[in-house]
Amino acid sequence: MKNRPIYPFTAIVGQEKMKLALMLNVVNPGLSGVLIRGEKGTAKSTAVRALADILPEISVFADDPYQLDPVEELESYHAICKLIAGTRREILPEVVTRKVRVVELPVGATEDRVVGTLDLEHALKAGEKRIEPGILAQAHRNILYVDEVNLLDDHVVDVLLDSAAMGVNTIEREGVSFSHPARFTLVGTMNPEEGELRPQLLDRFGLCVNIEGIQTAEERVAIMERRAAFDLDPEGFAQRWREESRALADQLLTARSLYPKVEIQRELLFEIATTCLEVGVDGHRGDIIMLKTAKTLAALDGRDTVTSTDISTSAELVLPHRVRRQPLMEIADNVQALRERALSGK
Amino acid sequence: MKPVYPLAAIVGQDTFKQALLLAAVNPGVGGLLVRGEKGTAKSTMVRALAGLLPPMEVVEGCVNNCSPEADEARCPECSRRYPQLQTTTRAVPLVDLPLNATEDRVSGGIDFPRTLREGRVMVSPGLLARAHRGLLYIDEVNLLDDHIVDLILDAAASGENRIEREGISYRHPSRCILVGTMNPEEGELRPQLLDRFGLCLEVAGSDDPESRVELMVRREDFDQDPCRFAAQFQAEGERLAEQIIQGRKRLPRVRISKALRGFIGELCREKNVAGHRADLVMEQAARALAALAGKNEVSVEHITQVAPLVLLHRMRDAEPPPPPPPPEPPQAEDENDSEQEEQEEHQEEQQQPEENPESMEAPPPQQSGEEEQAQESPQPEEQSQEEKGDEGTSPTGRDEQVFEIGTTFRVKSLTAAKDRVVRRGSGRRSRSRISQKQGRYVKSTLQDTGDFALDATLRAAAPYQQQRKRAGDQQLAVQLRPQDIRSKVREKRIGNFLLFVVDASGSMGARGRMAASKGAVMSLLLDAYQKRDKVSMITFRRNEATVNLPPTTSVDMAGRLLSEMPVGGRTPLSAGLAKSHEQVRNYLIKNPTAQPIVLFITDGKCNVALGERKPVEESLHLAQALSRDQRIRSIVVDTEEAGLVTFGLAQRLAGAMEAQYFKIDDLKAEALVNIVRGQQQ
């Protein structure tokens, strides 16, 4: 099971927008996630799982279920240890590095599995509290992947929103009062036919892409061929793409280190602000994410200045799901059209 | 620890900043409610405020933040030890109330491990204890479960939290600054809770590109290096903190003249607020503002500055809090709305608050012979089959029209009957027993549901303790055996399945009635969205009924379908009834514990039968058949216009179906108020 390789990210045919959005999030986790809207069978899940291939590494304490950063979150680590064991841990465990993971949140997950819960058996037998960490703990500093996010139970959505907003998961139930950091990149997929997401949750996704099946015969053939080749010999297939995967991973790493150096001109900032105003987004999250996306795009491209093209590309990724203003209004698929409408209305 | 975004670095939002400072200086203003769009720094600002507040003196080791001052209320523990109390200082707590918090965590509950070790019930303090003398922050307060809201209300009203549950009887002081944020799109707050918040304000994003740019730049700077960013604004933050400390010191000395008290009373009376809390809050807020400004006397300006904050959520025009805005306001409606708002401001009490649906602009009534016939004769059985065929061949004939959606309104609460069936789910419509670990703990059961009830378990184990102690060798004080285990039975509100059966025949198109009906359906849909229901829609016209929308949680889809729904043709009510029964039955097979609510939106005038019988007779017969399934609750919304000649067919239909019967106007949440008012005049 463990040995079976996953379909390589670089081997996915087409769906450039989705791949771009995912890559941007790998470079800059501050973009707070991607929502992928599209029909069935458009490589949504494949792409997210394949991400694992090209993800960077993080360092953690060995066997830390909360995966805290050994340097920056040392305080939280001590606090949690104290709460669980009752004493401060003087000797810190070994620090190991491992890849960022894709943690899946199944649609049927119950709330206590998501936030974590009290181990009752232990409490009854030994008379002390033991907390079983939930999926949100696993997802800290990782990617939280929610397939069919629109089918998720409402209260689970509320919990997700809470933690996504604060970067902290707070458990306040059944005699447990406990909190731990939970900052994750939220990746959701959904099929709009099954119902829309609540605007609150929608807004939490930094980027949004609409994808559809590929229409050219050639590419469709390429998809079939590659899939067949992969199913026949996963090892060999992955081997053949290894070089490209490594190149992409390197590109992402370079972009990561380049990001803090990316500059943006003041006029371009105004371009972002006016675009958001014209299109009519709620609040300022749109502006902030657009700036970050534009900068990340530049970094991904190996540049240290943002161009006007970066901004229009980022508008396409950032704005489609934000122009929606009321619960029962439709999501605008095309921001450009909306913008033109706004301009001509003046 | 990562620093929080400094309050001083927030661009704009000056009213919000001021309101927070007022609440910080004078806890007497009683909290703050922030209504507004997503992404307007609501949470950021509240968190930043907590960092600015000066540390407070508390009793050492007290989980309840009890004050060592002599004349303050104390928790039982501190009262016992008084006056031998050690004092320490602590930062003002900012307590987050997560939406999924259970009752025992909010008000306090049993401490499992300690109880088991010590053999007597030990209380573990809840969030209300932790938030005492601090800030209690509830994000999305309108999504909070009702029973949690009640707990908080009770504590806020009495300044004391009383736990009388699960074998605990315990009380401790609990006074905190309540700060709530909400997005009105997701549903309104209960009026009682609304009133409990002293101040209320609306926030929106800035329209000025300049400040938007500034905001972006600052946020990006902060994200890149939070520590350096925070350091930049430290001086400014300290100035604000100092302002709060000075304001608090000054507050007891701030005077208000009798004339100005009169002015406050006049303001509140003019805005027709309920009760006297507004007056009191306004005085406190004005004093806080004066104290902040370094004045010892409240002036008129102070009052006029705080008045909007106090009155926004309290002024009324004999109308409950504003309904959620209509999703797609057509032009005509926009005008109505603004008129209405003006009325609210001018307080013309004699004005009816709700527009009569008929009075609003609507497309001209269509003129087809078919439709007139339907109006004149309720039983046009003489219609020939040929005519029906004719209509079938002209799908885009001129008898077809699409109407705008009329004015939407707040719908009164419609719920399913309560029973003992255990369900899963979320939402906010009907109360039900629930299988998740959510909602109110109502009693315990022997069945193992995984939701452990310690109090009941202890009670079950209590009689056998002596006997077991002799045999057992555990180090725990209480000896539990598997047969003692009890589980919690919980109850909460969940969403229902709503089936809309909409009459789209020509008779509905007359005189803008369809616009009003669509408005009513849209209002019900908005309500369904807020209560998280599943919806499905069937329309019937011409010769058949069609399922336009299979059961889905996508209320959006239903809304879209509704706005595009054409009207025209004859009325096959029987077909609609049969189809709805089929749909509900299928749904019940898949979800045996569901409680469907079927809403018929029709005038009851039918002229197409399924079989040989007369259409009306047949429809009534089918309706009776439908009423036999006890799991289904039916509601008939009569769209027939009140006039000289009414047929009351929908009412007869409702009678046959044993359904609840409403006119469109009866559905409105404020209908009752209006009826009473009408009688008075």
Side-chain angles (χ1 to χ4, degrees), chain A residues 51-66:
Chain A
L51 263 185
D53 225 20
I54 51 166
L55 288 172
E57 295 196 322
I58 51 171
S59 52
V60 290
F61 287 121
D63 302 326
D64 177 11
Y66 301 96

Side-chain angles (χ1 to χ4, degrees), chain A residues 23-245:
Chain A
M23 275 158 26
L24 287 172
N25 264 288
V26 173
V27 174
N28 184 2
L31 292 181
S32 55
V34 196
L35 175 66
I36 305 168
R37 295 159 45 90
E39 1 175 321
K40 303 166 276 287
T42 39
K44 295 188 296 259
S45 309
T46 313
V48 179
R49 295 208 178 97
L51 263 185
D53 225 20
I54 51 166
L55 288 172
E57 295 196 322
I58 51 171
S59 52
V60 290
F61 287 121
D63 302 326
D64 177 11
Y66 301 96
Q67 309 171 94
L68 303 173
D69 191 307
V71 182
E72 281 176 20
E73 292 168 337
L74 193 60
E75 250 173 81
S76 311
Y77 183 79
H78 282 308
I80 290 174
C81 282
K82 195 166 174 211
L83 206 121
I84 294 170
T87 51
R88 194 182 158 94
R89 255 180 115 150
E90 292 307 331
I91 307 152
L92 289 172
E94 186 192 353
V95 174
V96 292
T97 56
R98 61 156 184 78
K99 284 208 159 200
V100 170
R101 282 189 203 135
V102 177
V103 178
E104 276 191 58
L105 177 69
V107 170
T110 55
E111 197 180 335
D112 39 348
R113 270 306 299 139
V114 176
V115 299
T117 185
L118 181 77
D119 184 346
L120 256 180
E121 220 180 294
H122 191 79
L124 286 182
K125 283 203 186 111
E128 55 189 48
K129 284 183 194 183
R130 192 163 74 189
I131 290 150
E132 276 183 87
I135 291 173
L136 287 176
Q138 280 175 39
H140 180 48
R141 298 168 75 208
N142 285 326
I143 290 174
L144 182 63
Y145 173 49
V146 192
D147 202 6
E148 309 279 358
V149 60
N150 48 340
L151 300 185
L152 214 57
D153 260 350
D154 250 328
H155 51 274
V156 177
V157 171
D158 288 335
V159 174
L160 265 188
L161 274 180
D162 256 12
S163 335
M166 285 183 255
V168 175
N169 172 36
T170 315
I171 312 170
E172 288 291 353
R173 48 190 302 127
E174 299 158 341
V176 193
S177 173
F178 178 64
S179 70
H180 63 83
R183 284 189 318 278
F184 44 83
T185 303
L186 194 59
V187 178
T189 62
M190 61 176 275
N191 185 347
E193 285 166 23
E194 303 273 344
E196 283 296 348
L197 272 180
R198 279 162 52 202
Q200 295 287 72
L201 184 58
L202 214 47
D203 196 47
R204 293 282 173 214
F205 286 98
L207 312 179
C208 171
V209 283
N210 283 302
I211 59 169
E212 33 195 57
I214 293 165
Q215 296 306 335
T216 63
E218 276 162 53
E219 280 186 311
R220 292 191 87 107
V221 170
I223 292 173
M224 284 186 278
E225 280 172 355
R226 285 192 195 171
R227 188 74 223 184
F230 176 76
D231 286 342
L232 205 65
D233 176 18
E235 301 276 345
F237 189 81
Q239 194 67 44
R240 259 169 279 151
W241 289 89
R242 187 144 299 158
E243 207 43 52
E244 281 192 46
S245 294

Side-chain angles (χ1 to χ4, degrees), chain B residues 459-537:
Chain B
R459 246 172 275 142
Y464 309 105
Q465 288 306 305
Q466 292 299 329
Q467 187 188 337
R468 286 179 191 169
K469 281 245 171 67
R470 266 175 263 140
D473 53 353
Q474 283 182 37
Q475 74 269 47
L476 294 183
V478 186
Q479 309 282 314
L480 293 182
R481 297 284 179 274
Q483 67 266 28
D484 303 330
I485 304 286
R486 299 288 185 275
S487 298
K488 288 181 178 177
V489 175
R490 292 184 191 261
E491 205 178 272
K492 85 184 265 283
R493 285 187 191 278
I494 57 169
N496 284 82
F497 171 53
L498 299 189
L499 173 61
F500 290 87
V501 188
V502 184
D503 184 347
S505 65
S507 68
M508 294 284 287
R511 291 185 214 118
R513 244 187 298 157
M514 197 60 209
S517 307
K518 277 191 177 183
V521 178
M522 198 59 176
S523 312
L524 288 162
L525 281 175
L526 276 169
D527 188 52
Y529 171 78
Q530 290 173 353
K531 300 211 161 85
R532 312 275 186 262
D533 294 314
K534 262 194 167 181
V535 294
S536 167
M537 199 189 293

Side-chain angles (χ1 to χ4, degrees), chain A residues 28 30 72 75-76 108-112 115 117-118 120 123-129 150-151 153-155 158-159 161-162 165-166 170-177 183 192-201 203-204 259-262 266 269-274 276-277 281-285 287-288 290-292 295 324-331, chain B residues 1 13 37-40 47 96-102 104-105 110-114 116-117 124 127 130 139-140 143 183 185-186 204-210 212-217 219-220 223-224 325-328 424-427 436-438 450-452 454 474-476 480 485 490 492 522 525-526 529 532 552-557 559-560 564:
Chain A
N28 184 2
E72 281 176 20
E75 250 173 81
S76 311
T110 55
E111 197 180 335
D112 39 348
V115 299
T117 185
L118 181 77
L120 256 180
L124 286 182
K125 283 203 186 111
E128 55 189 48
K129 284 183 194 183
N150 48 340
L151 300 185
D153 260 350
D154 250 328
H155 51 274
D158 288 335
V159 174
L161 274 180
D162 256 12
M166 285 183 255
T170 315
I171 312 170
E172 288 291 353
R173 48 190 302 127
E174 299 158 341
V176 193
S177 173
R183 284 189 318 278
E193 285 166 23
E194 303 273 344
E196 283 296 348
L197 272 180
R198 279 162 52 202
Q200 295 287 72
L201 184 58
D203 196 47
R204 293 282 173 214
Y259 179 78
K261 300 189 198 93
V262 176
R266 215 171 152 73
L269 286 174
F270 275 94
E271 199 174 313
I272 294 177
T274 42
C276 287
L277 275 174
V281 297
D282 273 349
H284 296 275
R285 200 169 278 126
D287 302 42
I288 295 167
M290 237 175 110
L291 170 63
K292 285 182 196 288
K295 283 175 74 177
R324 191 176 124 133
R325 307 217 52 145
Q326 295 290 335
L328 299 192
M329 266 173 77
E330 283 174 57
I331 289 193
Chain B
M1 207 52 194
Q13 307 290 18
E37 322 173 334
K38 315 167 271 285
T40 39
R47 273 165 229 287
D96 267 304
L97 184 82
L99 290 177
N100 61 335
T102 48
D104 54 332
R105 283 310 308 146
I110 300 182
D111 187 332
F112 283 10
R114 276 174 67 209
L116 290 179
R117 271 202 306 270
S124 91
L127 293 174
R130 283 229 308 270
D139 204 5
E140 309 221 40
L143 299 185
N183 185 342
E185 284 170 16
E186 303 283 316
S206 162
D207 286 342
D208 171 33
E210 192 84 34
R212 286 188 91 108
V213 166
E214 185 58 33
L215 194 145
M216 267 187 275
V217 173
R219 182 75 219 186
E220 183 65 9
D223 284 346
Q224 294 213 347
E328 236 169 323
R424 268 186 77 82
S426 53
Q436 295 129 292
K437 287 185 191 177
Q438 276 200 323
D451 194 0
F452 182 65
L454 183 64
Q474 283 182 37
Q475 74 269 47
L476 294 183
L480 293 182
I485 304 286
R490 292 184 191 261
K492 85 184 265 283
M522 198 59 176
L525 281 175
L526 276 169
Y529 171 78
R532 312 275 186 262
T552 168
T553 46
S554 175
V555 175
D556 312 48
M557 295 258 274
R560 208 174 316 154
E564 289 161 7

